Amino acid sequence: MDGAVGASTVVHVTIFDSLTLDQLRTRTSMKWRHYPADVLPLFVAEMDVPQAEPVVRAVHDAMHRGDTGYPSDDDHSVAEALAGFAAQRWGWDVPVARTRTAADVMVGLLEVVRLLTGPGDAVVISPPVYPPFTEFLQHADRRILHAPLGADGRLDLDALDHAFGRAKTHGSRAAYLLCNPQNPTGTLHTADELAALGVVSARHGVRVVSDEVHAPLVPESGSRFVPATTVIPDAIALHSASKAFNLAALRVAVAVPGPEATEVSDLAKPVADGVMHLGAVAQTAAYAEGGAFLDEVLTGLAHNRRLLRGLLAPLVTWEPPEATYFAWLDLAEFADNPARVLLDGGLAVNPGATFGVEGAGHVRLNVATSSAILTEAVARLHTALSGVRPG
Ligand SMILES: Cc1ncc(COP(=O)(O)O)c(C=O)c1O
């Protein structure tokens, strides 16, 4: 396989076909080092793309200037760049002066949760959802309550109503951690769904904190990301360019308060001190000058999703979701732990159960890779699943 997929010449279909497997294997990040070289890694949220030129230039120039010190106090450069991006892409007016910068999305989410709730207070999440939600909330001594997504993969208002009621027993403070769009299902919450969430959360006095790191990754033109704070006025959102521009190595995040959320200005100085200056340099360039790169990524994702759907059929039926670069595949008919079966067949994906018990029998596969790797990955999937097919 490595001969074909790793060959030095590639047919350039989209931006994802720019790099060969051999070139990708020179990377030293988690995606390329966690598993042995004979395993195709389609698990962690990294993209197999070259870096956007404006970001390369900005970081390169900063290094050449020796601009490698601390971020300056009250530096709003990432937030300003985010505001320009958000206005253009979503028609959203980000209140730059009221934002605060944090080291990354998870640190920002946790610090916002700390402002809104105390130790022992409840935080509601909707599994299947990004596993660190649970890990970080446990670390912060919050009581975690579940309001799982419905069978249709969408917010379940009755489950939320019930969980919010339980969260507010004893008059304690409580929050809801929304994943908008949802990792791993790719669900893009609609304005109506967010409005209904806002009604229920307001009725119970539960504050909404929205993780919007995947927001730019909406490949199909018919779907539109709705910022939670535009619908729920006292919500607080976290944004970052780290997913859409593949910048996990240069992390930073912006906490954006809704018009009626007053607490973000109280984020403690240690939160701002955690920001890495080069992360801010990189993400400012991504938001301000990376539009053409992002458009190529979205075109590539749309292509890869169509390719994947065709390759999977008829063994596995999969309809691409509205957002993210993940395919959330239901493989329960083949095995209790299909990720294990696929790994044995040389393909690494995320086991669905790590996103919550609701994810059992599923796997999360990252489609942000080349057509050649995706094709080989699905060939391995077919072989591995055919070996365990019931009956
Ligand atoms: C939903 C979600 N939130 C947060 C993160 C991590 O963001 P950060 O690295 O900025 O903490 C990820 C990474 O994949 C994610 O999918």
Side-chain angles (χ1 to χ4, degrees):
M1 178 284 301
D2 278 19
V5 183
S8 55
T9 51
V10 287
V11 180
H12 189 99
V13 179
T14 76
I15 191 170
F16 290 104
D17 302 306
S18 311
L19 298 169
T20 65
L21 184 58
D22 290 342
Q23 289 170 319
L24 290 165
R25 285 207 196 283
T26 66
R27 292 184 173 178
T28 58
S29 60
M30 183 192 292
K31 183 167 187 181
W32 295 101
R33 286 299 161 96
H34 188 75
Y35 291 103
D38 58 349
V39 171
L40 276 184
L42 298 193
F43 70 115
V44 68
E46 298 179 22
M47 294 199 290
D48 296 345
V49 279
Q51 186 45 252
E53 267 311 312
V55 176
V56 173
R57 215 168 31 241
V59 175
H60 182 269
D61 290 354
M63 294 299 286
H64 271 268
R65 285 196 307 274
D67 189 6
T68 48
Y70 294 108
S72 73
D73 292 338
D74 296 328
D75 181 6
H76 279 106
S77 52
V78 192
E80 275 158 14
L82 166 65
F85 178 89
Q88 196 188 12
R89 298 255 160 185
W90 307 313
W92 178 30
D93 189 10
V94 171
V96 173
R98 299 176 60 236
T99 63
R100 289 292 179 274
T101 313
D104 62 26
V105 173
M106 287 313 299
V107 166
L109 280 179
L110 190 64
E111 295 302 330
V112 168
V113 164
R114 283 202 169 111
L115 288 176
L116 301 179
T117 64
D121 286 344
V123 179
V124 179
I125 60 173
S126 290
V129 75
Y130 184 57
F133 277 20
T134 300
E135 295 151 13
F136 275 67
L137 291 172
Q138 279 168 344
H139 177 68
D141 278 336
R142 296 310 189 260
R143 195 159 52 94
I144 303 171
L145 298 180
H146 288 179
L149 295 182
D152 56 358
R154 311 217 65 94
L155 293 179
D156 180 337
L157 282 179
D158 290 337
L160 287 165
D161 193 17
H162 183 66
F164 291 171
R166 283 173 55 217
K168 288 293 287 188
T169 48
H170 318 304
S172 49
R173 298 190 291 165
Y176 172 57
L177 215 44
L178 174 71
C179 199
N180 179 35
Q182 184 101 7
N183 172 4
T185 57
T187 311
L188 190 62
H189 307 299
T190 65
D192 285 350
E193 288 168 331
L194 293 174
L197 166 65
V199 169
V200 179
S201 58
R203 188 163 71 236
H204 290 282
V206 170
R207 296 292 298 279
V208 175
V209 183
S210 185
D211 176 339
E212 304 189 339
V213 69
H214 289 278
L217 293 166
V218 180
E220 310 299 336
S221 53
S223 305
R224 203 174 75 84
F225 162 71
V226 181
T229 58
T230 62
V231 179
I232 306 172
D234 67 350
I236 297 172
L238 264 296
H239 275 260
S240 172
S242 68
K243 294 298 115 188
F245 295 88
N246 205 36
L247 287 169
L250 289 162
R251 293 205 294 270
V252 70
V254 181
V256 186
E260 292 172 17
T262 54
E263 299 86 352
V264 165
S265 59
D266 295 338
L267 279 180
K269 181 163 164 42
V271 176
D273 275 358
V275 173
M276 187 172 61
H277 182 50
L278 279 184
V281 167
Q283 298 215 6
T284 300
Y287 277 133
E289 301 168 67
F293 167 89
L294 179 60
D295 288 340
E296 281 197 69
V297 164
L298 296 176
T299 302
L301 290 180
H303 171 272
N304 285 0
R305 287 146 49 102
R306 283 192 299 276
L307 176 67
L308 179 65
R309 183 170 50 182
L311 290 169
L312 286 171
L315 189 69
V316 178
T317 306
W318 173 68
E319 277 307 317
E322 302 102 322
T324 75
Y325 45 63
F326 302 127
W328 180 240
L329 305 178
D330 181 355
L331 304 180
E333 66 174 295
F334 299 99
D336 291 339
N337 184 358
R340 180 75 248 171
V341 174
L342 298 186
L343 188 57
D344 290 343
L347 173 61
V349 293
N350 293 91
T354 57
F355 298 86
V357 290
E358 298 76 6
H362 289 67
V363 302
R364 190 192 74 175
L365 182 149
N366 181 345
V367 306
T369 191
S370 70
S371 311
I373 291 177
L374 204 52
T375 303
E376 171 61 21
V378 180
R380 292 182 183 197
L381 177 145
H382 272 273
T383 306
L385 294 184
S386 301
V388 295
R389 173 135 229 183

